Amino acid sequence: MAVTPNRKRGPFQVKRIFTTLDAAAISGLELKIVQNLIDKKVVILERSGGGRRSPRFLSRHHLLCLRLDYYLTSNLSVPKRARLYRELEERPGLENYSVNPVVHLDVAWVRRDVDARIADLDEAISTLGANRQDPTFPHTQIKVYDTVRLLELGLDPQDIISEYTLTERQLYLARLWVVAHPHKN
């Protein structure tokens, strides 16, 4: 989190920043796609100095753009998406956006979706741990990475739920956590 001055709400306001791994988990896009959208300047970040190798930190606005990209990839060209994202940054309260006379975006709904996914990632981190090496589900010895790997291998989630007495919510949070904290072998 970063702290920035804000005259409207008092001397300081907490501005949360996210890593590209957080952005991948929240947006639903693969990490490589998130990085490509940044590299191609579809989603434009302000660098914190240091040139190309400087860390990439994203704001809630960037997460909104990435989540919109999750829904729009096949429907809008890259230049149109980039233009949309710039307009959303200039007009942060925009609730609806007309792409053309037929296509209208409910930006407010996507904002609520992003906020919900941020809350889900926060819950996953608080439940499964922020930086633990080999996390387990609370009050069990069931390893998070192993469980998500079973899902990736195609095992039916209902089989995992019944075998390990987990909930669908726990599996969803585990998937989010693993995207934001990839296993380091």
Side-chain angles (χ1 to χ4, degrees):
M1 280 196 214
V3 179
T4 58
N6 184 337
R7 290 175 177 55
K8 292 181 183 176
R9 293 191 187 155
F12 293 98
Q13 172 187 356
V14 175
K15 181 179 178 185
R16 184 160 178 194
I17 56 175
F18 302 88
T19 66
T20 52
L21 288 169
D22 294 336
I26 293 165
S27 70
L29 298 170
E30 293 180 26
L31 178 61
K32 185 176 182 176
I33 294 171
V34 169
Q35 292 170 336
N36 284 339
L37 289 169
I38 294 167
D39 290 342
K40 292 178 181 177
K41 300 200 183 316
V42 176
V43 176
I44 300 173
L45 303 184
E46 294 177 22
R47 295 260 179 206
S48 57
R52 181 153 168 73
R53 292 282 182 204
S54 64
R56 293 175 162 186
F57 295 115
L58 295 90
S59 68
R60 184 175 169 270
H61 165 74
H62 297 119
L63 298 178
L64 172 67
C65 296
L66 291 168
R67 191 66 177 157
L68 279 165
D69 215 84
Y70 175 82
Y71 294 116
L72 296 174
T73 301
S74 62
N75 298 321
L76 288 177
S77 67
V78 170
K80 285 184 179 180
R81 292 193 325 258
R83 191 170 38 253
L84 163 64
Y85 303 153
R86 281 192 302 275
E87 186 169 339
L88 287 174
E89 188 168 27
E90 293 167 3
R91 299 173 52 199
L94 187 67
E95 292 193 11
N96 293 297
Y97 182 83
S98 295
V99 176
N100 59 40
V102 178
V103 179
H104 302 277
L105 300 174
D106 185 352
V107 178
W109 179 85
V110 179
R111 276 194 186 94
R112 288 189 302 274
D113 182 49
V114 166
D115 289 342
R117 291 178 69 88
I118 289 170
D120 290 345
L121 181 59
D122 289 345
E123 181 184 346
I125 290 169
S126 69
T127 303
L128 302 174
N131 291 311
R132 294 177 28 200
Q133 291 290 339
D134 203 5
T136 59
F137 290 96
H139 313 295
T140 72
Q141 296 298 316
I142 303 166
K143 295 183 179 186
V144 172
Y145 287 118
D146 293 346
T147 306
V148 172
R149 183 73 181 134
L150 292 173
L151 291 167
E152 290 170 352
L153 291 172
L155 196 64
D156 183 15
Q158 293 306 317
D159 291 342
I160 295 171
I161 288 168
S162 63
E163 178 71 25
Y164 296 115
T165 60
L166 297 172
T167 65
E168 287 182 31
R169 178 80 179 159
Q170 286 175 307
L171 288 183
Y172 168 72
L173 294 176
R175 287 178 175 157
L176 274 180
W177 194 91
V178 168
V179 171
H181 301 88
H183 200 262
K184 296 173 183 147
N185 293 30

